[in-house]
Amino acid sequence: MQLTLIAGCLASISFLFHYSQKNLNMLGNNKNVITAAPALKPESTHSPYTVIGGGVCIEGHLVSSGHVEIYGEVKGNIQVDNGLVRVMSSGKVNGNITFNKLYVDGEVTGECNEK
């Protein structure tokens, strides 16, 4: 009984120590840590790269040959010929998406078709 109690206490202390060290290493002295998915970096300066920012609503069709990130809203079809479409957690798409690669963390109302 006593051995089980001691083992439980040691496990709890170990967990708390590990958790506190992990938070210190992650945060350091920086209090402004952003935990959202990082933005994509363009593969080259010639590659088209489109970002629809939060609070922005686009009405119409969006056609691109490069990467597209959506934090805002698109009311219309999206066609990306060569690149990645990312609908972020705050992003909304009301239309069809034609893509090579697709990442959806937000809301899509429509069909998603791989090229």
Side-chain angles (χ1 to χ4, degrees):
M1 172 85 176
Q2 291 176 348
L3 186 57
T4 305
L5 182 61
I6 291 171
C9 288
L10 288 175
S12 296
I13 291 170
S14 175
F15 172 78
L16 291 173
F17 178 76
H18 175 74
Y19 182 75
S20 66
Q21 291 298 315
K22 182 179 174 185
N23 283 342
L24 287 176
N25 290 339
M26 284 177 48
L27 299 178
N29 293 330
N30 187 355
K31 303 291 184 195
N32 299 320
V33 175
I34 298 173
T35 58
L40 290 174
K41 294 180 182 172
E43 293 174 1
S44 72
T45 56
H46 300 16
S47 174
Y49 184 76
T50 304
V51 176
I52 308 299
V56 175
C57 180
I58 302 291
E59 293 188 26
H61 301 301
L62 175 64
V63 178
S64 176
S65 60
H67 299 303
V68 175
E69 282 191 358
I70 302 165
Y71 294 87
E73 184 174 1
V74 175
K75 294 179 180 179
N77 296 334
I78 299 173
Q79 178 182 338
V80 176
D81 295 327
N82 185 19
L84 171 67
V85 178
R86 289 176 54 158
V87 181
M88 307 308 283
S89 62
S90 61
K92 294 180 182 179
V93 175
N94 189 1
N96 300 329
I97 303 175
T98 304
F99 60 91
N100 284 339
K101 296 177 188 173
L102 176 65
Y103 170 87
V104 176
D105 190 30
E107 181 181 322
V108 176
T109 304
E111 293 183 14
C112 298
N113 301 304
E114 185 175 11
K115 258 191 151 182

